[in-house]
């Protein structure tokens, strides 16, 4: 089984099995087609989530046995095409060309057949054995759509298996077809491209007889990534140069970009196939359809979205806060306090490292279980029900002003509960540029821990409206920061294209499995860094370095910001957990009645700085995992400078008033 002839495929040699698996199957499909539900049902919970090398794009792997064969299954990110407009598309294409799976299972949404067949036709051109999983047939029937699966199979020249992934229908049949030894790329459909393109492909075949037609086609489209993955460097350069000359002639003849011509031909082929196999038996006038119309309407939809976001925030904040309080109480009462008493006479360095490590573990459990768990259950319900795409559609115009798209709304709202899962949720964004902007904005959003400081300090001792004004200030800063980054940050800008599938009933099993996978990743990745960071702070404290730091920054903390000297140490502890800044401030002040030791202006400035400056250790750990060290340092530095600048301005204005 060879995708491309050996003479022009030095970079695409067939992947050798590692001995642990008999074959590899890649799941490929559009976003929101039920691919993740399919994968979860097939593999269970014994899966591994990892990033593709050199990227932040997530891929999930699992293992399943079909008969006597042990199958390695890879769930690639949802994509609309094998282009390069998003990092997800680049990674999926690179995986298919470099890793070369034995079989591709293309999960297709039966309710949006024509749109999905665009990707299907591109996949069929690769020459890899393919099985089509025609998914969500139950939703299609509810919409009055009937699809002739056997006829679709004959037209495409590949097996087509009707499935309902959320109910486990048809999944075994798909795997049986995938492991069938007789499955091959022969006899499949060939797209009828424009005559100019077809002639150019044939002409290139004269000069480059050892290249597959799909490589020549991609060369005409100037898909240099595809060509260079498949051909040796010198041959790739020659092919791209020759194809560029031909493409210019075709573009002049059609008065349009050759990529647009190819897209037109692909959609035309997809449309003809859909018309041949699909029939509408009745118009959808169901209650679900009417609800869908309301959810996407200009007025009712926005009100409904505001209610959904408010409910999400209330559940995450209230329930999460309740659980966090209980977890912290258990740790403090039954672990940290006894250990502190036991280590009272031990070496200060050892004592601090141990105690601070335990505080880090406490912070991890208090974040992962209450906030991440609850939010990801809600997020999975939003995803599986199809509501997430509707929320993105409604708020696209607003987020566009900050260089983002509607799908960024959910991570930004999540930041009000906890910044950690919010930054993890930015993976849903298309490009690294968008993830960077969203991550910066999320780092500025006042999470529940910062809310403790705003309400516990300013709200209690200064006044309710003073606390509200901090939120107003934060919203202004976030919007201005997003506006500046959206216009000044380099990187690829993508259009907002998101298929809105039908509303569905979420599957409880899939929701819980998806939630566990996301929580597990936080525990495995952020937890160790959180504990190490906590131990590091404990060591600095025992060695007196924090005192040195306090004296060193006093010209800024006292002279410019107007805070008492001990407030700088409290801000350092806030890096571990934001609410710890307030707790340490009370310890250093010798009282929890802050009105006796701080002026209203000092409390207000302290709260403003705490809500803006460097995120907590857990957030820093996730930033490093998602964006890398360089971006993490830049975001942290930016927030520190911004916090001190805003704090100084607020102090000066307060002094004038």
């Amino acid at each position: 089984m060879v995708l491309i002839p050996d003479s022009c495929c030095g970079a695409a040699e067939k992947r050798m099995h590692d001995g642990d698996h008999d074959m590899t199957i890649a799941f490929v499909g559009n976003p929101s087609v039920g691919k993740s539900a399919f994968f979860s049902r097939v593999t269970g919970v014994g899966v591994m989530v990892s990033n593709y090398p050199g990227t932040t794009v997530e891929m999930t792997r699992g293992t399943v046995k079909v008969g006597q064969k042990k199958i390695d299954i890879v769930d690639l990110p949802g994509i609309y095409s094998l282009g390069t407009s998003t990092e997800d598309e680049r990674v999926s294409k690179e995986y298919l060309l470099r890793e070369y799976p034995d079989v591709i299972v293309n999960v297709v949404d039966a309710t949006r057949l024509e749109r999905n067949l665009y990707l299907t036709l591109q996949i069929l051109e690769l020459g890899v054995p393919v099985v089509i999983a025609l998914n969500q047939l139950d939703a299609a029937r509810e919409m009055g759509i009937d699809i002739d699966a056997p006829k679709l199979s004959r037209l495409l020249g590949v097996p087509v298996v009707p499935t309902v992934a959320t109910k486990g229908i048809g999944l075994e049949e798909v795997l049986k077809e995938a492991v069938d030894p007789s499955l091959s790329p022969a006899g499949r459909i060939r797209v009828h491209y424009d005559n100019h393109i077809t002639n150019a492909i044939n002409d290139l075949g004269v000069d480059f007889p050892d290249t597959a037609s799909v490589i020549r086609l991609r060369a005409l489209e100037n898909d240099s990534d595809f060509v260079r993955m498949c051909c040796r460097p010198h041959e790739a350069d020659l092919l791209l140069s020759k194809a560029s000359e031909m493409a210019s002639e075709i573009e002049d003849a059609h008065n349009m970009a050759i990529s647009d011509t190819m897209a037109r031909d692909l959609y035309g082929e997809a449309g003809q196939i859909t018309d041949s196999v699909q029939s509408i038996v009745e118009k959808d006038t169901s209650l679900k359809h009417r609800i869908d119309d309301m959810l996407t309407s200009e007025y009712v939809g926005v009100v409904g979205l505001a209610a959904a976001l408010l409910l999400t925030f209330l559940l995450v904040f209230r329930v999460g806060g309740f659980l966090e309080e209980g977890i912290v109480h258990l740790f403090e009462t039954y672990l940290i306090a006894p250990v502190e008493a036991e280590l009272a006479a031990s070496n200060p360095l050892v004592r601090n490292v141990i105690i601070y490590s335990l505080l880090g573990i406490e912070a991890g459990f208090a974040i992962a279980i209450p906030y991440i768990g609850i939010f990801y259950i809600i997020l999975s319900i939003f995803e599986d029900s199809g509501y997430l795409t509707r929320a993105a559609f409604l708020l696209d115009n607003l987020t566009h002003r900050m260089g983002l798209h509607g799908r960024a709304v959910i991570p930004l709202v999540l930041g009000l509960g906890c910044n950690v899962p919010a930054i993890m949720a930015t993976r849903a964004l298309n490009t690294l540029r968008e993830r960077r902007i969203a991550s910066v904005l999320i780092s500025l959003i006042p999470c529940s821990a910062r809310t403790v400081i705003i309400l516990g300090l300013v709200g209690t001792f200064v006044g309710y409206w003073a606390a509200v004004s901090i939120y107003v200030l934060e919203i202004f800063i976030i919007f201005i920061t997003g506006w500046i980054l959206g216009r000044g940050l380099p990187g690829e800008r993508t259009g907002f294209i998101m298929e809105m599938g039908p509303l569905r009933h979420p599957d409880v099993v899939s929701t819980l499995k998806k939630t566990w996978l996301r929580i597990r990743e936080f525990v495995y990745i952020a937890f160790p860094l959180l504990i190490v960071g906590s131990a590091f702070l404990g060591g600095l404290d025992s060695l007196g370095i924090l005192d040195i730091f306090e004296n060193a920054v006093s010209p800024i903390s006292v002279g410019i910001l107007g805070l008492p000297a001990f407030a700088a140490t409290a801000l350092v502890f806030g890096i571990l957990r934001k609410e710890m800044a307030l707790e340490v401030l009370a310890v250093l002040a010798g009282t929890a009645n802050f009105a006796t030791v701080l002026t209203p202006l000092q409390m207000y400035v302290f709260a403003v700085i705490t809500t803006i400056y460097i995120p907590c250790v857990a957030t820093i750990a996730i930033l490093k995992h998602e964006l890398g060290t360089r971006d993490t340092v830049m975001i942290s530095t930016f927030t520190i400078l911004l916090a001190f600048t805003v704090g100084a301005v607020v102090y000066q204005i307060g002094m004038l008033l």
Side-chain angles (χ1 to χ4, degrees):
M1 181 174 60
V2 180
L3 171 65
I4 301 161
D6 292 338
S7 59
C8 191
C9 192
E13 296 177 356
K14 188 181 184 305
R15 176 187 48 78
M16 299 299 293
H17 296 298
D18 58 10
D20 293 332
H21 302 95
D22 297 309
M23 65 184 301
T24 297
I25 298 175
F27 281 14
V28 184
N30 287 188
S32 302
V33 296
K35 187 164 54 65
S36 296
F38 196 125
F39 179 85
S40 297
R41 281 276 186 174
V42 169
T43 60
V45 298
V47 301
M48 178 180 67
V49 180
S50 62
N51 287 349
Y52 193 72
T55 74
T56 59
V57 175
E58 179 184 280
M59 294 195 309
T60 311
R61 292 178 179 267
T63 302
V64 65
K65 289 199 70 175
V66 181
Q68 298 301 315
K69 289 188 176 181
K70 191 175 183 181
I71 312 300
D72 180 23
I73 297 181
V74 180
D75 184 18
L76 295 177
I79 57 175
Y80 290 106
S81 73
L82 290 179
T84 56
S85 61
T86 70
E87 189 175 3
D88 286 346
E89 290 179 352
R90 283 192 291 268
V91 166
S92 294
K93 181 168 62 177
E94 182 171 349
Y95 177 86
L96 294 175
L97 294 178
R98 293 195 186 280
E99 305 298 328
Y100 201 67
D102 296 288
V103 178
I104 294 174
V105 171
N106 178 209
V107 184
V108 172
D109 182 358
T111 67
R112 300 289 188 273
L113 183 60
E114 182 176 349
R115 178 68 186 86
N116 282 240
L117 285 180
Y118 183 91
L119 174 62
T120 300
L121 293 173
Q122 288 186 319
I123 291 172
L124 293 178
E125 291 176 334
L126 296 179
V128 179
V130 173
V131 175
I132 305 295
L134 187 60
N135 198 33
Q136 300 189 36
L137 278 178
D138 55 340
R141 294 191 184 101
E142 289 181 5
M143 297 172 64
I145 298 174
D146 182 61
I147 297 175
D148 188 341
K151 185 175 181 180
L152 179 60
S153 177
R154 291 194 300 271
L155 290 175
L156 295 177
V158 296
V160 175
V161 181
T163 65
V164 180
T166 55
K167 299 178 182 179
I169 298 175
L171 307 189
E172 290 186 9
E173 289 80 357
V174 169
L175 294 180
K176 288 179 181 178
E177 290 284 357
V179 301
D180 189 340
S182 64
L183 183 66
S184 75
R188 61 181 49 175
I189 189 175
R190 296 180 66 88
V191 178
H192 296 88
Y193 287 104
D194 178 88
N195 288 336
H196 293 90
I197 294 176
T198 302
N199 293 334
I201 293 173
N202 294 334
D203 291 342
L204 285 173
V206 175
D207 295 329
F208 302 91
D210 295 327
T211 60
S213 60
V214 64
I215 302 177
R216 287 174 258 146
L217 178 68
R218 296 302 178 201
L220 284 173
E221 199 176 9
N222 195 32
D223 189 346
S224 58
D225 290 339
F226 189 104
V227 176
R228 296 186 189 285
M229 287 179 198
C230 300
C231 296
R232 298 183 181 89
H234 178 65
E235 291 170 312
D237 291 338
L238 291 176
L239 178 57
L240 288 168
S241 177
K242 182 66 175 179
S244 178
E245 298 175 5
M246 293 183 174
S248 297
E249 297 176 1
I250 296 174
E251 289 176 343
D252 291 339
H254 287 264
N255 196 28
M256 64 188 300
I258 194 168
S259 58
D260 294 337
T261 302
M262 292 180 180
R264 180 199 63 188
D265 295 340
L266 282 166
Y267 273 120
E269 194 83 44
Q272 288 184 358
I273 295 172
T274 301
D275 291 340
S276 299
V277 302
Q278 178 177 289
S279 58
I280 306 298
V281 295
E282 61 182 48
K283 185 177 180 181
D284 184 13
T285 57
S286 64
L287 176 62
K288 185 184 293 186
H289 183 74
R290 293 196 295 272
I291 292 175
D292 198 1
D293 288 341
M294 288 190 295
L295 290 178
T296 54
S297 65
E298 184 177 358
Y299 300 107
V300 178
V302 171
V303 173
L305 175 60
L309 295 179
L310 178 61
L311 179 61
T312 299
F313 171 67
L314 287 176
L315 286 174
V316 172
F317 179 66
R318 295 295 184 185
V319 180
F322 173 77
L323 293 176
E324 180 188 17
E325 183 178 348
I327 293 170
V328 170
H329 174 73
L330 290 175
F331 267 88
E332 294 289 343
T333 304
Y334 299 104
L335 181 61
I336 295 177
V339 171
E340 281 185 325
E342 186 70 25
L343 298 176
S346 63
N347 182 280
L349 177 61
V350 174
R351 181 178 65 248
N352 272 27
V353 169
I354 293 176
I355 295 300
Y356 277 72
S357 297
L358 293 177
L359 288 173
I361 296 173
E362 173 193 323
F365 276 106
I367 291 173
I369 295 177
Y371 296 111
I372 297 179
I374 293 171
F375 174 77
Y376 272 131
I377 289 175
I378 298 173
L379 180 62
S380 296
I381 292 173
F382 280 173
E383 287 178 335
D384 294 343
S385 67
Y387 186 66
L388 198 60
T389 55
R390 287 153 178 82
F393 168 77
L394 289 170
L395 293 181
D396 182 49
N397 288 334
L398 176 63
T399 51
H400 245 304
R401 299 178 183 274
M402 297 187 292
L404 297 171
H405 294 296
R407 59 173 62 90
V409 169
I410 295 298
L412 293 175
V413 171
L414 172 59
L416 295 170
C418 178
N419 291 168
V420 173
I423 291 172
M424 292 171 68
T426 61
R427 297 169 184 170
L429 304 183
N430 278 348
T431 65
L432 179 59
R433 174 182 177 274
E434 292 171 0
R435 287 195 288 274
R436 281 173 170 165
I437 295 175
S439 296
V440 172
L441 301 185
I442 289 169
S443 299
L444 296 172
I445 291 176
C447 62
S448 58
R450 297 171 184 176
T451 297
V452 170
I453 298 174
I454 296 173
L455 298 180
L457 184 62
V458 177
T460 302
F461 297 101
V462 181
Y464 173 78
W465 290 110
V468 171
S469 69
I470 294 181
Y471 283 103
V472 174
L473 176 63
E474 285 282 346
I475 293 173
F476 176 77
I477 291 173
I478 290 169
F479 186 84
I480 293 298
T481 302
W483 185 83
I484 294 173
L485 291 176
R487 282 153 181 76
L489 191 66
E492 187 175 3
R493 301 168 185 260
T494 61
F496 181 55
I497 301 175
M498 179 176 284
E499 190 80 17
M500 281 200 292
L503 291 173
R504 300 182 294 271
H505 296 290
D507 179 68
V508 176
V509 175
S510 296
T511 297
L512 294 178
K513 286 181 178 178
K514 191 181 297 184
T515 301
W516 161 242
L517 287 176
R518 287 165 167 165
I519 295 177
R520 187 184 71 171
E521 184 176 5
F522 166 80
V523 172
Y524 288 173
I525 295 171
F527 231 75
L529 294 175
L530 179 61
I531 295 172
V532 171
S534 302
F536 180 70
L537 282 177
L540 293 180
D541 185 30
S542 65
L543 295 174
I545 296 178
L546 289 183
D547 291 334
I548 297 174
F549 165 78
E550 183 179 306
N551 294 329
V553 301
S554 61
I556 297 176
S557 61
V558 178
I560 298 178
L561 301 177
L563 297 174
F566 59 80
T569 301
L571 290 175
V572 171
F573 277 85
I575 299 174
L576 179 60
R577 283 178 56 181
K578 281 294 183 179
E579 64 269 33
M580 279 191 65
L582 189 61
E583 297 167 0
V584 172
L585 187 68
V587 172
L588 297 175
T591 178
N593 184 6
F594 295 105
T596 62
V597 292
L598 297 173
T599 66
L601 179 58
Q602 287 177 322
M603 287 186 277
Y604 192 91
V605 171
F606 182 85
V608 167
I609 295 174
T610 306
T611 57
I612 298 176
Y613 85 109
I614 189 168
C616 65
V617 171
T619 303
I620 293 172
I622 287 298
L623 279 172
K624 182 179 182 300
H625 173 66
E626 296 295 324
L627 300 179
T629 302
R630 178 175 174 273
D631 285 342
T632 301
V633 171
M634 291 181 65
I635 291 174
S636 300
T637 303
F638 167 72
T639 58
I640 292 173
L641 295 177
L642 179 63
F644 288 157
T645 300
V646 174
V649 170
V650 169
Y651 174 67
Q652 294 301 324
I653 293 175
M655 292 298 293
L656 292 176
L657 297 177

